[in-house]
Amino acid sequence: MSTKKALKWVGFWIGLALAFNAGIYLFMGKESALEFLGGFVIEKSLSIDNLFLFIMVFSSFGIKQEYQRRILNYGIIGALILRLIFVLLGVTIVNMFHWILYVFGAILIISGVRMIFKNEENDSVKDSKIIKVLGKIIPVTDKVEGDKFFVRKNKILYATPLFAVLILIEFTDIIFAVDSIPAIFSVTTDPFIVYTSNIFAIMGLRSMYFVLGNLHEKFKYVKYGVAMILVFTGVKLSVLMFDIKIPIELSLGIIFFILASSIILSVLFSGRKKEIKEV
């Protein structure tokens, strides 16, 4: 998918989310609409970092773009199911044990700090423990066999690197959900708002992936903005322990500011680096 076409689809999905948000405003009120918008922005921000990981995985395994689309489709379906499970479990646990929000807050702060200092360039995706475990369960071929997940050679069933990548993507979805669901609890615990904001954030992932795949060098510093959003949402949950509640309007303003600043800084620094290389 070209960058121009992908951007149009990203705009379409964002527009659809905003239209749904307007419906929430009309039928459920201002507070619910702000909660949906806050949840959508948080989940969309976190999904950007998840897509950077997808880019690394595909690049490491040498998966061509025509095969990436199939994996992304399966990944999105898996993410939708996982979100429903995590939302229902999360809301149930929070309703039973309100103090768990403080634990979620601590987890988010730790996750954000780790993201800031983590050097992803030194990570070897092929050395992932998940891939090693898969190799012990079923042999994996050395090269991609078209768009097939499994092939049979000499009467032996092999998994292809495409299937290995799919498993890795699904596991990253689980890790992503562990961060994203607690993060949105800093805005609301209404299961309808939590799930629908997640759904709309996820639905445009494939188009967003192709935008980042073509322009990811220009958005290298966005991950630091995402990390700061994680830290902020963690702090927002943690201060509830002291009966301090940060208003949703202020939260939205801070999240928008962090995300916008990270995008602007990314574009500015990538532009300067390009100029230096040309000189």
Side-chain angles (χ1 to χ4, degrees):
M1 190 182 295
S2 67
T3 304
K4 187 177 180 180
K5 185 177 180 180
L7 280 170
K8 286 181 179 178
W9 276 106
V10 169
F12 169 78
W13 287 114
I14 292 175
L16 199 63
L18 293 176
F20 186 81
N21 195 27
I24 291 178
Y25 179 81
L26 291 173
F27 293 101
M28 298 178 66
K30 178 183 176 183
E31 188 69 19
S32 295
L34 286 173
E35 289 175 353
F36 175 87
L37 183 60
F40 175 75
V41 174
I42 289 173
E43 296 305 316
K44 203 70 173 175
S45 303
L46 293 177
S47 69
I48 291 173
D49 184 67
N50 206 41
L51 290 177
F52 279 129
L53 182 58
F54 286 9
I55 292 170
M56 284 178 57
V57 171
F58 288 139
S59 175
S60 177
F61 282 85
I63 306 298
K64 295 180 180 179
Q65 283 199 356
E66 56 262 36
Y67 305 138
Q68 292 176 14
R69 184 172 298 184
R70 187 183 183 195
I71 296 176
L72 286 170
N73 287 339
Y74 278 103
I76 290 170
I77 293 170
L80 294 175
I81 297 170
L82 285 170
R83 287 311 172 280
L84 178 59
I85 295 170
F86 273 80
V87 167
L88 294 176
L89 284 176
V91 171
T92 302
I93 293 171
V94 168
N95 288 334
M96 291 175 64
F97 310 102
H98 185 73
W99 53 264
I100 200 71
L101 288 174
Y102 313 141
V103 178
F104 285 161
I107 291 171
L108 291 172
I109 293 171
I110 293 169
S111 297
V113 172
R114 286 182 62 188
M115 191 183 295
I116 291 172
F117 294 102
K118 187 178 180 182
N119 186 3
E120 293 181 348
E121 292 180 359
N122 293 332
D123 290 346
S124 178
V125 178
K126 284 190 175 181
D127 291 335
S128 168
K129 291 180 180 179
I130 298 166
I131 300 302
K132 289 179 180 178
V133 171
L134 178 65
K136 292 179 180 179
I137 297 172
I138 183 172
V140 182
T141 61
D142 294 328
K143 61 180 181 177
V144 176
E145 304 285 344
D147 63 350
K148 296 178 181 177
F149 289 136
F150 298 96
V151 292
R152 192 175 292 277
K153 294 182 178 181
N154 299 323
K155 297 182 179 180
I156 299 174
L157 185 66
Y158 288 82
T160 68
L162 214 63
F163 181 73
V165 170
L166 177 62
I167 295 297
L168 198 56
I169 292 296
E170 293 297 351
F171 269 90
T172 60
D173 274 337
I174 294 174
I175 296 169
F176 173 50
V178 170
D179 280 341
S180 66
I181 299 302
I184 199 173
F185 283 158
S186 69
V187 176
T188 180
T189 55
D190 182 330
F192 175 76
I193 300 296
V194 173
Y195 189 61
T196 52
S197 59
N198 264 271
I199 292 299
F200 278 99
I202 291 169
M203 291 305 293
L205 278 188
R206 197 179 78 168
S207 302
M208 181 70 77
Y209 170 81
F210 287 109
V211 173
L212 293 178
N214 296 330
L215 302 174
H216 71 276
E217 287 298 323
K218 291 187 177 181
F219 296 99
K220 288 183 70 174
Y221 299 101
V222 170
K223 78 165 192 173
Y224 297 108
V226 174
M228 291 305 298
I229 289 173
L230 275 178
V231 172
F232 169 71
T233 54
V235 170
K236 191 173 186 292
L237 284 175
S238 300
V239 297
L240 290 173
M241 189 186 306
F242 307 102
D243 292 326
I244 300 172
K245 187 175 181 180
I246 301 175
I248 183 68
E249 293 88 346
L250 179 59
S251 298
L252 272 173
I254 292 172
I255 292 168
F256 272 121
F257 175 76
I258 293 172
L259 188 59
S261 298
S262 65
I263 292 172
I264 292 169
L265 287 173
S266 296
V267 173
L268 288 176
F269 276 101
S270 66
R272 287 184 180 180
K273 286 183 178 180
K274 187 177 179 181
E275 289 177 4
I276 292 172
K277 285 181 181 180
E278 289 177 352
V279 172

